[in-house]
Amino acid sequence: MDPSQVDVPPLKDLTIDNITDNVKLINSQCPNPRLKYILERVVQHLHDFARETRLSHDEWMTGLLFLTAVGQICTDVRQEFILLSDVLGLSLLVDSIDHPKPPASTEGTVLGPFHSHEAENAPNGSQIAHDPDGEPCLVLCTIKDTQGKPIGGVKIDIWETDSKGFYDVQYAGREGPDQRAVMESDKEGLFWFKAIVPVPYPIPHDGPVGKLLVQLKRHCYRPSHMHFMFAKEGYDHLITALYLRGDPYETSDAVFGVKESLLIDLGTVNADQAKQYGVKEGSKLMSYDFVLVTEEGSRKLREKNAMEATKKLGLKMKLWNGLPVPDVD
Amino acid sequence: MDPSQVDVPPLKDLTIDNITDNVKLINSQCPNPRLKYILERVVQHLHDFARETRLSHDEWMTGLLFLTAVGQICTDVRQEFILLSDVLGLSLLVDSIDHPKPPASTEGTVLGPFHSHEAENAPNGSQIAHDPDGEPCLVLCTIKDTQGKPIGGVKIDIWETDSKGFYDVQYAGREGPDQRAVMESDKEGLFWFKAIVPVPYPIPHDGPVGKLLVQLKRHCYRPSHMHFMFAKEGYDHLITALYLRGDPYETSDAVFGVKESLLIDLGTVNADQAKQYGVKEGSKLMSYDFVLVTEEGSRKLREKNAMEATKKLGLKMKLWNGLPVPDVD
C-alpha cells in the first residue's frame, strides 16, 4: 500500500476514555451504512462491557480462547456458535425481531444447530422416523393464511431426534438421514406423516458451550419437541417447533425456545383415523394448525416495529434495505 | 439428569422485551460472583445490540459464520481472535484497564498476535536478528523503578519483524526462531543487543479480519515498532513497544497501539559506542529508559480506578479477588 493514501482521521495517545470514539472514527469510512452502524454498536458495547467489568487481561484471554474453541469444534454438522447464541437467548431474540408475528399467526422459535440439508423429499403419509424403539406418532397438520385459507405447495422441513435424544447427524457411523424429511402441503393445506413421540434431550455438551453451562450451574436439556420449517414464495419463512406440554424441562429449556402457543397435548388415534391413515388405533397423535403470514405483512410489521422500537430508544433512524440506520441527513 | 433436580426459575413465552431478564435469571445460579457479573453484562450488551440494530437473521448468521471462520483459522502460531480484538481497539482498552500506569512509568500497549514462546535466551550484546537485508540497529536500554533505581534480573522478551515486515512464525518453512530473544537486565538495569531497524508491515490480512478491514475501508498497516515484554517478581508485567516517530502509519495504526510516550527517534552510534559495543560507527541506535511499576503499586491503582470508574457509571460495586462485582449485601 502507498502510505500517501493514508487518509484516515489521526489517532494517537489512546486512553480508556477516548479509544471508543477513535475506533468509531476510523470505522466511519465504511461505505455501507448498515455495516457501519452495526460496527459502531459492536465497538460501543464491547468497550462499555470492558469498562463496566474492568475486564482483566486474563479474563480477556480466557474469553478469546473460549471463542477460539467454539470456532474450532464447528464442523459441517456441528455449529457451536449457533449453540452459544441459543444458550445466551440471542437466537430467540433475533428470530422474534426478524419474524414478527401478528396475533393470529404461528409463532417462531429457535432453529437450533441440527437442521441439515440432507433430508429427503417425502410424500404425505411417509414414515420419516425409523427408530424401532421410538413410540409411533401420527402427525396431522394444516397450513392456512391469516384469513383461514389453506395454503398448498408449502415446503415443510421436519426434524426430530431418535428415541435416545440424538439427531442423525450426531452419529459418526450413520448411513444417511433419518428422523427428518422435506414435505409439501396439498391443495387443502394438509400434510401428514408418521414419526415418533419426541423426547427430551441434552444439547451437545461435550464442547465449550457445555462447559460454560456447567460453570453457570445450568442443565443442558431441551424439552421434548419436533422442529418445523415452512417456506413458500410470498410467505414469511417460519422456523418453529411444537413442544409437549408437561415435559420436565418445559419451563427451563436450555435454549429458551418454548412458547405458550407452541405447547401441545398429544391426542390418541381413533378407529376412523387408524383406518384412514394406516396406523394403529390408540397410538399417539400430534396435530396442529399452522398459520403463515405473508412476506409483505411480515415486512411491514418488522419495519413498523423497527422504527417504533428505535424511536423509543431515543435513536433517530431511517430504513435502508428495510433495516434501520442512523438518519444523519 | 434427573428432571426432579430442575431447580431454576420458570421461563415461558419469551419475548423481545423479557428475554434478557429471563436469561440473566437462569444464569444467576452461577456460584462465582465474577463470572456471574461478566455473563450478566455479556447478555445485556448482546441483547441490547440486537434490539438497537434490529439485527436480522441473515446478519446474525453472517456474524456467527464470521466468528466461526476467525476461530478456524487459528493455529499454534496464529491467533485471529487476538487480531480481531486488536483491530476493534479492545486489546488496547483491556491493557489500559488492567495495567494502569502512574505518570512516571512506561506505558503499555498491545501484545499483538506474534509473541511466541520459542525465543532463545540471549546474553547482553547478542545479535538477535539475522536478516541480511535489515538495517543494523544497536539497542541500548535501561530498566528502572519509579524512584529511578535500576532493576536487575528482569526477564525481557523482545520481538520484531524481518526487513520484509514478517515475523519468523509467518514463514511456513522456517528453521527456528529469529528476530526474537529473551534477555535479562544486568545489575545496573542495562540490557543491549543488536537487531535491525523496524519497518512498517501489514497485519495478517488473508483471513476473516483482513476481509473485515477491507469492508470497513481500513488499511491493515502497523507503523514500525519493536515489541518488549518485561517480567520480574514484584513488578507489574509490562507489555509495550517502541514506535519510530515519523512513520507514515504513525497516526493510523491498524491495531491502535501507538502512544505519544512510546514514540522514539533513532539516534546514531558514535565512535566510543561503536568501540564499546562492537558495531559500526554511524549505524542506527535505539535507546530508551523503561520504568516499571511494582505489582503492589499497580494493584492499588487498578483497584482504585475500578471503584472510581464503576461508581461514576452509577454501579454499586465491591472488590472480589481484586475485580469488581455487584455489591448486593
Side-chain angles (χ1 to χ4, degrees), chain B residues 291-318:
Chain B
V291 178
L292 301 190
V293 188
T294 62
E295 207 160 46
E296 179 70 3
S298 184
R299 185 184 61 75
K300 280 185 179 165
L301 187 55
R302 180 172 53 243
E303 293 182 1
K304 180 173 162 279
N305 290 352
M307 292 309 286
E308 282 178 7
T310 51
K311 194 180 169 188
K312 219 170 165 181
L313 290 169
L315 306 170
K316 197 180 162 220
M317 309 298 276
K318 62 180 177 187

Side-chain angles (χ1 to χ4, degrees), chain B residues 71-320:
Chain B
Q72 298 210 326
I73 209 170
C74 291
T75 64
D76 286 351
V77 291
R78 176 169 189 166
Q79 227 309 343
E80 192 90 352
F81 265 112
I82 292 186
L83 196 65
L84 179 59
S85 167
D86 290 351
V87 303
L88 295 178
L90 181 65
S91 308
L92 190 277
L93 176 58
V94 169
D95 183 72
S96 303
I97 290 170
D98 205 32
H99 297 283
K101 304 297 177 198
S105 61
T106 302
E107 290 189 279
T109 184
V110 292
L111 171 67
F114 289 118
H115 175 255
S116 88
H117 294 282
E118 297 177 330
E120 286 165 4
N121 289 315
N124 262 336
S126 296
Q127 179 78 45
I128 74 160
H130 301 89
D131 179 355
D133 297 328
E135 187 182 356
C137 182
L138 174 66
V139 184
L140 286 180
C141 298
T142 66
I143 312 178
K144 294 176 179 164
D145 66 17
T146 49
Q147 269 78 51
K149 221 181 101 192
I151 315 176
V154 178
K155 182 188 158 201
I156 310 135
D157 232 306
I158 301 139
W159 64 110
E160 65 167 339
T161 69
D162 65 12
S163 66
K164 290 168 201 71
F166 292 108
Y167 289 95
D168 54 1
V169 292
Q170 292 179 280
Y171 290 99
R174 74 207 170 88
E175 284 167 9
D178 200 3
Q179 286 94 234
R180 61 177 82 232
V182 176
M183 306 193 72
E184 199 177 297
S185 60
D186 68 17
K187 281 178 192 167
E188 278 73 48
L190 276 165
F191 68 98
W192 66 280
F193 57 92
K194 298 164 193 163
I196 58 174
V197 173
V199 296
Y201 65 85
I203 56 172
H205 54 289
D206 58 337
V209 171
K211 285 182 193 127
L212 176 66
L213 291 185
V214 170
Q215 295 278 313
L216 295 172
K217 295 263 179 227
R218 280 172 54 176
H219 73 69
C220 55
Y221 277 77
R222 297 216 63 203
S224 311
H225 64 279
M226 191 180 288
H227 290 277
F228 295 87
M229 187 154 78
F230 301 87
K232 179 172 177 162
E233 211 172 312
Y235 291 90
D236 189 46
H237 192 71
L238 174 63
I239 297 166
T240 193
L242 297 177
Y243 295 88
L244 303 194
R245 198 187 311 277
D247 187 281
Y249 306 104
E250 181 184 322
T251 61
S252 65
D253 183 359
V255 304
F256 308 99
V258 182
K259 293 188 177 180
E260 189 63 39
S261 70
L262 302 174
L263 280 170
I264 56 162
D265 295 296
L266 290 184
T268 306
V269 172
N270 63 28
D272 285 351
Q273 290 169 325
K275 203 172 156 194
Q276 185 177 355
Y277 297 107
V279 297
K280 266 195 194 156
E281 185 181 345
S283 58
K284 289 286 191 288
L285 172 68
M286 180 188 285
S287 52
Y288 199 82
D289 298 316
F290 294 95
V291 178
L292 301 190
V293 188
T294 62
E295 207 160 46
E296 179 70 3
S298 184
R299 185 184 61 75
K300 280 185 179 165
L301 187 55
R302 180 172 53 243
E303 293 182 1
K304 180 173 162 279
N305 290 352
M307 292 309 286
E308 282 178 7
T310 51
K311 194 180 169 188
K312 219 170 165 181
L313 290 169
L315 306 170
K316 197 180 162 220
M317 309 298 276
K318 62 180 177 187
L319 292 172
W320 186 83

Side-chain angles (χ1 to χ4, degrees), chain A residues 46-82:
Chain A
L46 256 183
H47 290 199
D48 282 348
F49 164 70
R51 276 186 291 252
E52 285 164 6
T53 58
R54 312 303 292 180
L55 197 67
S56 76
H57 186 273
D58 286 352
E59 291 170 334
W60 168 83
M61 187 58 95
T62 301
L64 296 186
L65 293 179
F66 172 77
L67 293 174
T68 304
V70 170
Q72 298 209 327
I73 209 171
C74 291
T75 64
D76 286 351
V77 292
R78 177 170 186 163
Q79 228 308 342
E80 192 90 351
F81 265 112
I82 292 185

Side-chain angles (χ1 to χ4, degrees), chain A residues 27 34 41 52-53 59, chain B residues 34 41 52-53 59 218:
Chain A
N27 285 346
R34 180 67 182 164
R41 298 318 298 162
E52 285 164 6
T53 58
E59 291 170 334
Chain B
R34 180 67 182 165
R41 298 318 299 161
E52 285 164 7
T53 58
E59 291 170 336
R218 280 172 54 176

